[in-house]
Amino acid sequence: MNNSKDTVLIALIAAGVAVFATEVLRRFNTSDKLKGKKKLAPIPESMFGRKLLEEEFAVKPNYVYGNCGSFGHVPQRVILAQLELIKERESDPEGWYRFGREYSLYFDAIRELADFVKSDPANLVLVENASTGTNTALRSIEFADGDKILVNSHTYGAVLKNVKAVRSEFPGVEEVNFDLQVPLNSKADIIKQFETAINENKGIKVAIIDHITSPSALLLPIKELIEVCHKNGIIAIIDGAHAPGHIPLNLEELNADYYTGNIHKWLFAPRGCALLWVHPRHHDATRPILVSHNHMLDTLEKRFVPSATRDSTAYLAVPSAIAFHKALGGLDVLLERNRQLANAAAEMLAEAWGVERYPVPESLRSPNMALIALPPIFQDNFPPEERECTKLMKRLHDKGSFISFNPVSGKIWARISVHAWNSMEDFFEIRDKVLEMVNEVPSIVQMDYL
Ligand SMILES: Cc1ncc(COP(=O)(O)O)c(C=O)c1O
């Protein structure tokens, strides 16, 4: 009798261990998920939403992540791939840094990425973030007194600071910041406003243009704008911080002078990873911001291979990030699925809050982000300033959800970002939490934590 009880107990324990081990292997099967970086088993759309978030990302339980547009999220598989790289490096730092292992992995990453963004690998380098990309581009240009840099009212704040830094180095350079006015009806509206700004401000040497604007989530007609720049002898630096993994890219066809874009926002790379595409006519002049061993090498691609001892594993994990994007169906699936959800969620929020959506046609909206005005009580109590928006975001964050709030054209707008881990339920929760905040306005106004 006792014997049979023991046997049952042992069988139960063995079954428990087997279930646990299977689950661990399922989640972190290194042979499938890490080593076969180039091809992962497809993750069907039926897995998208919270299930995907919980299974594939290292997230807080029950938190609503509606702001991929700011910092992205790194899948656990990519974190593990990065960890494997770190372990390999630590097993042989000399082989890694001195005898070419980092070098060869870097070029593997470049080749994979070049294929993804349709670039000649010789024109493509990796930098830490889009900010470094624009910094690098601006620092490669020789400015003279009277030169002008064109930006606009939707240009990213950190980029404007970058322009100010250039001006403090070259005091004769001027900034032209024109008001790109919304409502907009068509691409032609945008192109016309750019042309007017260029015609009214002779001497523009460089234009910095966002592919997708940040607080206003506009999709700008970048190909046409690059052509306008070139017709006017202007160097076009494109800030595509939000583009890779979000919208299709063909960098050779776009033919910018410089194009930078984050891999760590929509394309799942570990943070600290962005691309910089450089037109061949600028290769000779373009050097990394950090001067180190490779600075004087003869080609662009060699100059940007990480030198100076550093952790470059975010770059080297790019093939794993792309493999994850492809496993989700790639842009063919993600762009359309997320576009539809962003649109439906924005409609639902606008109706529930009794507010308008940002007044631009769908063709000018960033496909996977959308802007909705915050309800009037917030407009009445919070001046449209970043500091005030941060208070509102902090309260929402404390409630276990996040979307971003930004001042745009004298009003505070909510910006939702939709990726594969989101579902409509997320935005129902956001809807309700923002409505809860209506009753908390006096205490949010008083917030003094900054
Ligand atoms: C349009 C735009 N440009 C540049 C950046 C800066 O990106 P990073 O902080 O990765 O340099 C952002 C970040 O959100 C952005 O939205």
Side-chain angles (χ1 to χ4, degrees), residues 69-70 129-131 156 159 210 212-214 239 241-242 262 264-265:
S70 284
N129 38 48
S131 301
Y156 190 66
V159 171
D210 293 25
I212 291 175
T213 64
S214 180
D239 178 355
H242 283 274
N262 281 324
H264 60 216
K265 269 194 205 296

Side-chain angles (χ1 to χ4, degrees), residues 258-435:
Y258 292 89
Y259 187 107
T260 188
N262 281 324
I263 317 298
H264 60 216
K265 269 194 205 296
W266 295 86
L267 189 48
F268 302 124
R271 297 197 182 79
C273 186
L275 64 82
L276 176 64
W277 183 93
V278 183
H279 193 284
R281 68 175 159 270
H282 300 296
H283 281 201
D284 283 350
T286 307
R287 315 264 148 178
I289 301 271
L290 178 74
V291 180
S292 187
H293 297 294
N294 297 345
H295 210 252
M296 307 308 281
L297 294 181
D298 57 342
T299 63
L300 177 91
E301 50 186 346
K302 286 191 227 156
R303 270 179 236 137
F304 280 80
V305 173
S307 46
T309 318
R310 52 162 295 182
D311 181 0
S312 59
T313 53
Y315 297 175
L316 312 183
V318 163
S320 301
I322 292 176
F324 188 76
H325 193 269
K326 286 186 177 161
L328 294 172
L331 281 174
D332 288 346
V333 169
L334 292 169
L335 182 69
E336 191 49 25
R337 183 264 181 195
N338 295 338
R339 188 188 66 75
Q340 285 182 20
L341 180 53
N343 222 351
E347 287 294 318
M348 181 276 291
L349 291 173
E351 197 180 327
W353 295 345
V355 294
E356 83 219 87
R357 290 183 63 182
Y358 199 52
V360 292
E362 182 151 1
S363 60
L364 300 182
R365 286 188 193 134
S366 140
N368 300 343
M369 297 196 286
L371 248 64
I372 311 101
L374 273 191
I377 185 160
F378 297 108
Q379 309 293 353
D380 295 344
N381 285 278
F382 297 87
E385 293 161 10
E386 271 175 30
R387 192 192 150 83
E388 300 297 310
C389 291
T390 306
K391 288 184 189 171
L392 291 162
M393 288 190 281
K394 176 70 168 71
R395 177 57 58 94
L396 188 61
H397 174 62
D398 290 345
K399 287 177 177 291
S401 295
F402 205 83
I403 55 172
S404 78
F405 300 137
N406 300 289
V408 181
S409 321
K411 216 174 191 174
I412 300 182
W413 298 83
R415 188 194 72 185
I416 59 170
S417 301
V418 174
H419 216 320
W421 57 78
N422 292 118
S423 63
M424 199 62 166
E425 278 65 40
D426 291 341
F427 298 101
F428 289 144
E429 227 175 295
I430 301 268
R431 170 196 66 193
D432 294 344
K433 287 181 176 157
V434 168
L435 290 175

